[in-house]
DNA sequence: TCCCATACCGACCTCACGGTATGAACGCAA
DNA sequence: TTGCGTTCATACCGTGAGGTCGGTATGGGA
């Protein structure tokens, strides 16, 4: 029988990558398992061997792929921010490179679609959101301690606001994918960040 | 044969209302036509007589029901705003009464889900977004003319930011439906609006 | 009154979806 | 080498999805 070498790790990552691509373009309900395994060059037998059902696949994708993307896209860069200007330029960069099918946009879209109907998947997605929010909150804490964030700022509340703002950007970017909208968002976001500056 | 009186107008509105409820809970792909017609007390025959397919139903829902909800929820109240304090209290009210299945949240969720894959539906949803944005933009224009909005404010850009921010709120509200999150969002939103005040 | 377009019903069709059953190839352990 | 659990392919199933179709009631216009 035609059969590839046994590579469970590569197989899982191939499935998750294909699933992420499908989720980002079609949403959770719209995504089909057929296209996913086809895109991964596999079959349903392999899929259902590693994941018992579609929901579990989505949860694994959220806790693995999506969390990793959040790490490299946001958490690590945010951890290196040591000034408000650095925070500004990072925010502008992430804003300008926003695309309808990137990790942040997909996180927002899948959350909006499934949060009410699927508590399990919602919890996995919320963990990614929470990590994002925490990274910003601790950044603001550091800024307050270092003196480049205003004393009266409440880090957690402001972090929640930042995450909400950027989540909104992902939606408006999808609605009108032109660069002008992203530039407007980036500028407005920088203006907001300026209100956090000490003095 | 058991048959109701011919009431095409009421039938269409019943279908659109049921469709809106289904879309708000399941998303576009997740929504089924069976539950919609059942909830409306009708049959598929009636549905497909008025709308040729699911996509057309969604478009009609967006251009009719959703636009009407946008009108009463936002456009009309925004048109009556004549001070920054009034804008603030309206924003806070809309923020505090946010629910995962209301019109604004559904608009955002369906847009995030279908914008990339369905240009026709996306256009209909974008029209609702544009109306929302325009109402805020013209409000800011009026505020500048009346002197309660700062001269340096760019109405269109700020309106786009406001819409994005509130869109983000609908997502984070879905992720954590507690009242505390909404209160945090409302307060942060008011703080942002305060930066628009003249002087 | 008759007529006919419209509104609606109800049964049915097709098909793609998520999911299952079975078993073959692989690789490690002994 | 043998044995056995893991990994994956192939073939298949049941269900519910979107959508179709013939037919029947309705009601306004001629």
């Amino acid at each position: 029988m035609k059969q590839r070498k046994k590579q469970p790790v590569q197989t899982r990552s191939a499935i998750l990558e294909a699933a992420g691509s499908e989720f980002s373009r079609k949403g959770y309900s719209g995504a089909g398992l057929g296209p996913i395994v086809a895109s991964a060059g596999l079959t349903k037998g392999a899929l259902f061997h590693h994941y018992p059902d579609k929901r579990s696949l989505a949860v694994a994708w959220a806790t693995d792929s999506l969390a990793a993307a959040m790490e490299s896209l946001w958490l690590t860069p945010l951890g290196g921010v040591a000034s408000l200007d650095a925070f500004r330029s990072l925010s502008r960069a992430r804003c300008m490179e926003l695309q309808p099918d990137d990790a942040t946009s997909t996180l927002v879209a899948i959350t909006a679609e499934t949060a009410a109907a699927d508590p399990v998947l919602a919890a996995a997605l919320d963990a990614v959101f929470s990590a994002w929010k925490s990274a910003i909150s601790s950044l603001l804490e550091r800024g307050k301690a270092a003196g480049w964030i205003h004393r009266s700022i409440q880090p957690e509340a402001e972090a929640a606001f930042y995450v909400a703002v950027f989540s909104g950007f992902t939606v408006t970017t999808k609605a009108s994918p032109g660069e002008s909208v992203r530039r407007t968002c980036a500028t407005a976001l920088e203006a907001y960040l300026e209100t956090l500056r000490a003095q």
Side-chain angles (χ1 to χ4, degrees), chain A residues 35-192:
Chain A
I36 288 177
V37 294
S39 165
L42 295 166
T43 62
K44 288 189 178 182
L47 204 178
F48 282 94
H49 172 71
H50 291 284
Y51 306 101
D53 50 30
K54 187 183 184 184
R55 168 184 301 196
S56 301
L57 169 63
V59 170
W61 164 76
T63 58
D64 294 354
S65 301
L66 201 54
M70 174 60 66
E71 183 80 32
S72 64
L73 258 180
W74 286 102
L75 307 190
T76 301
L78 284 172
V81 165
S83 72
L84 194 104
D85 289 330
F87 191 24
R88 272 184 60 165
S89 69
L90 172 63
S91 298
R92 167 168 279 272
R94 288 291 169 271
C95 198
M96 291 308 294
E97 67 195 25
L98 252 185
Q99 287 173 7
D101 63 337
D102 64 11
T104 311
S105 298
T106 307
L107 166 65
V108 171
I110 302 296
T111 298
E113 179 187 355
T114 65
D118 193 326
V120 181
L121 179 53
L125 294 166
D126 191 56
V128 183
F129 264 114
S130 294
W132 190 11
K133 205 157 55 180
S134 297
I136 295 168
S137 180
S138 69
L139 178 150
L140 295 176
E141 289 280 10
R142 293 191 336 255
K144 283 178 70 173
W148 47 272
I149 289 288
H150 197 278
R151 300 184 213 91
S152 67
I153 293 301
Q154 298 177 13
E156 284 198 27
E158 229 61 42
F161 184 72
Y162 184 97
V163 168
V165 167
F166 208 93
S167 299
F169 286 175
T170 68
V171 178
T172 55
T173 294
K174 282 196 174 185
S176 39
E179 185 187 333
S180 65
V181 173
R182 295 203 303 274
R183 200 194 324 272
T184 300
C185 287
T187 302
L189 183 57
E190 285 187 288
Y192 156 70

